[in-house]
């Protein structure tokens, strides 16, 4: 059981959600270039990598609300799954300690 993998995933998804929320908050800001965040897996953890999207030179915001909303839904579901995994690991550890006692 390794809770640290779940925690790193939650932290990476939190970064992704923060970036998406910032993009949505600036949807009416003229010339706003949104930031794109991707989850990257390394050997023992996940991390978020962010970069500015390509500037199309538009005077309007370049935020795609459909993309941001789907990103937020996926991020919410991934976080919920990781929390469930942590709860299950905690319950299993508690059961093992009860058996041991």
């Amino acid at each position: 059981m390794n809770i640290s993998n779940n925690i790193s995933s939650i932290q990476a998804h939190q970064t992704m959600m923060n970036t998406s929320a910032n993009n949505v908050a600036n949807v009416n800001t003229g010339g706003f270039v949104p930031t794109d965040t991707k989850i990257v897996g390394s050997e023992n953890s996940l991390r978020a990598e962010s970069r500015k999207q390509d500037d199309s030179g538009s005077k309007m915001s370049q935020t795609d609300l459909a993309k941001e909303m789907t990103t937020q839904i996926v991020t919410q579901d991934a976080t919920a799954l990781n929390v469930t995994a942590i709860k299950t690991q905690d319950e299993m550890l508690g059961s093992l300690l009860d058996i041991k006692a």
Side-chain angles (χ1 to χ4, degrees), residues 17-32:
M17 182 65 86
N18 290 343
T19 302
S20 181
N22 182 60
N23 292 342
V24 171
N26 287 292
V27 73
N28 291 323
T29 303
F32 178 74

Side-chain angles (χ1 to χ4, degrees), residues 10-67:
I10 290 171
Q11 290 171 334
H13 283 93
Q14 180 64 49
T15 300
M16 188 176 219
M17 182 65 86
N18 290 343
T19 302
S20 181
N22 182 60
N23 292 342
V24 171
N26 287 292
V27 73
N28 291 323
T29 303
F32 178 74
V33 179
T35 302
D36 189 31
T37 302
K38 301 226 183 282
I39 303 294
V40 179
S42 60
E43 190 172 314
N44 292 324
S45 65
L46 296 176
R47 68 181 192 288
E49 289 185 355
S50 299
R51 68 170 186 84
K52 284 282 191 188
Q53 293 180 2
D54 295 332
D55 188 355
S56 67
S58 174
K59 292 186 179 184
M60 299 181 68
S61 174
Q62 298 170 33
T63 299
D64 179 3
L65 285 177
K67 176 189 174 293

